[in-house]
Amino acid sequence: MQNIADELKKKLAGSVQRNRACALLFSGGLDTSILAALNPRAKAISVSLKSFGEDIHYAKSLAADLNLKHLHRTVEIEESVEAIPQVIKILQTFDPAIPNDLVVYFGLKQAKELGIDKIATGDGSDELFGGYSFMKEIDDLESYIKRISKLMTFSSNDIGNFFGIKIIQPFIDKEVVDLAIKIPIDLKIRKDNGKTWGKWILRKAFEDTLPKKVIWQKKRPLEYGSGMTRLRKIINSKVSDSEFEKARRTLAVKFISKEHFYYYKIYKRMVGEIPLAKKGENSCPGCGAGIKRGSFHCKIC
């Protein structure tokens, strides 16, 4: 086990050196904390909804420990809601994950304002090392990770293109990916001190580099850690019960919430009609959009 942890640490350090960035989208979570430790000269940019989110406490603490140049971008609720149409236009989606994407949007917007043209993210770590909670329920997780390692796409790339910023993703460097898919699943998801941890081997690899409170922190999706999840209640309130029920009766899209419908309305205005399946594609059961064969989900809804 220790040999694998040491090799993983070496590969990630090499990836950060090969894929240098002068800045980092920094949540204070495990993945971006590792990148900060490997490149402490990078400017660290954190984003949170005003008065909400626990990520910033981890980010500020580690920034002080590593002596990082740290910038905290606080976003107002109204500012966040007003940015939703732009994010939907960039990503061409009405996926309910928009609150996550808003964090990236404001982080890259801040980077653009600072004149930064290259920034690192922690993209790919959860996918490769079993960081998502749903992965604990997948029977053949090894095959799933091998498959997803060839199909990974991230909203940060599209938002980066919009701002003219190159996105650096050290976790999906070929050498890191090649090693990751060879690591046994029981080293990725493992019980330790009475709790089951995702990304266990990644935690062990950097156990002597980062504080214990950083290494053994729980997984927090961006929307929760940044506080953006608070927007969901606000957005739901913008759609009446009658409007939502009418939409569910008359439209072909299977909306899962008022919030989902709210994003759809913006999508229709900012992007247009849903692109239907083409020859060789599957049709999304949720909205009818085309899905490339082999893909895990629809990018539109």
Side-chain angles (χ1 to χ4, degrees):
M1 183 280 293
Q2 190 58 51
N3 288 342
I4 295 175
D6 291 343
E7 182 66 10
L8 177 56
K9 186 174 185 178
K10 180 181 177 181
K11 292 293 186 184
L12 273 169
S15 175
V16 170
Q17 288 298 315
R18 286 191 301 276
N19 304 289
R20 298 296 287 183
C22 62
L24 166 69
L25 286 186
F26 182 55
S27 69
L30 177 66
D31 308 324
T32 58
S33 293
I34 287 172
L35 298 183
L38 293 174
N39 185 16
R41 293 185 179 181
K43 295 176 182 176
I45 299 175
S46 302
V47 174
S48 67
L49 193 65
K50 188 174 183 180
S51 302
F52 299 109
E54 58 182 297
D55 274 358
I56 193 60
H57 304 298
Y58 285 92
K60 285 183 175 180
S61 177
L62 187 61
D65 289 343
L66 297 177
N67 196 30
L68 298 175
K69 186 172 183 180
H70 184 220
L71 190 149
H72 176 207
R73 173 69 157 88
T74 302
V75 185
E76 300 286 345
I77 289 176
E78 184 177 355
E79 183 183 15
S80 300
V81 174
E82 288 177 351
I84 290 172
Q86 183 67 76
V87 172
I88 287 175
K89 184 177 181 181
I90 293 169
L91 300 179
Q92 299 192 15
T93 181
F94 55 96
D95 189 311
I98 291 295
N100 280 294
D101 300 320
L102 282 168
V103 182
V104 179
Y105 173 82
F106 281 108
L108 294 180
K109 186 173 187 287
Q110 183 66 54
K112 181 69 173 180
E113 291 168 359
L114 292 171
I116 294 168
D117 62 2
K118 190 182 293 187
I119 193 166
T121 71
D123 293 332
S125 177
D126 287 309
E127 288 80 0
L128 293 170
F129 297 100
Y132 294 117
S133 58
F134 73 84
M135 288 180 158
K136 298 173 185 176
E137 311 302 323
I138 297 178
D139 292 331
D140 188 0
L141 183 56
E142 182 176 0
S143 296
Y144 178 87
I145 290 176
K146 284 181 179 178
R147 183 180 170 197
I148 203 172
S149 70
K150 300 174 183 177
L151 300 169
M152 292 185 291
T153 59
F154 303 97
S155 61
S156 56
N157 295 107
D158 292 324
I159 299 173
N161 287 337
F162 173 77
F163 284 114
I165 297 174
K166 183 176 181 180
I167 304 301
I168 305 298
Q169 297 156 313
F171 283 101
I172 61 172
D173 177 90
K174 186 179 185 304
E175 289 192 19
V176 177
V177 173
D178 288 347
L179 174 61
I181 60 178
K182 294 176 184 176
I183 295 175
I185 295 302
D186 65 355
L187 292 182
K188 294 179 178 180
I189 299 177
R190 193 179 183 95
K191 197 166 186 177
D192 196 324
N193 290 324
K195 183 174 180 179
T196 301
W197 297 91
K199 299 188 284 194
W200 184 85
I201 190 64
L202 192 59
R203 299 174 193 271
K204 297 299 289 187
F206 288 87
E207 200 171 30
D208 62 349
T209 303
L210 292 166
K212 186 176 181 180
K213 64 182 178 181
V214 173
I215 288 292
W216 298 106
Q217 62 180 294
K218 64 182 179 180
K219 163 68 179 174
R220 299 180 303 279
L222 271 179
E223 68 166 275
Y224 289 99
S226 66
M228 288 291 180
T229 192
R230 297 275 179 167
L231 297 177
R232 294 195 183 279
K233 185 176 181 180
I234 294 168
I235 293 168
N236 268 303
S237 71
K238 293 179 178 292
V239 178
S240 69
D241 290 342
S242 59
E243 183 184 15
F244 184 52
E245 288 308 313
K246 181 180 179 181
R248 297 181 86 174
R249 288 195 313 269
T250 60
L251 298 175
V253 179
K254 295 180 180 178
F255 300 110
I256 61 175
S257 64
K258 291 181 179 179
E259 179 192 12
H260 196 197
F261 173 58
Y262 179 84
Y263 296 149
Y264 168 79
K265 290 196 298 179
I266 295 175
Y267 175 92
K268 285 278 289 181
R269 187 175 81 244
M270 303 299 293
V271 181
E273 297 297 326
I274 295 172
L276 300 179
K278 300 176 183 176
K279 185 176 181 180
E281 293 182 334
N282 295 318
S283 181
C284 172
C287 71
I291 306 176
K292 292 182 180 179
R293 288 179 182 174
S295 294
F296 285 91
H297 60 83
C298 173
K299 293 182 179 181
I300 305 298
C301 73

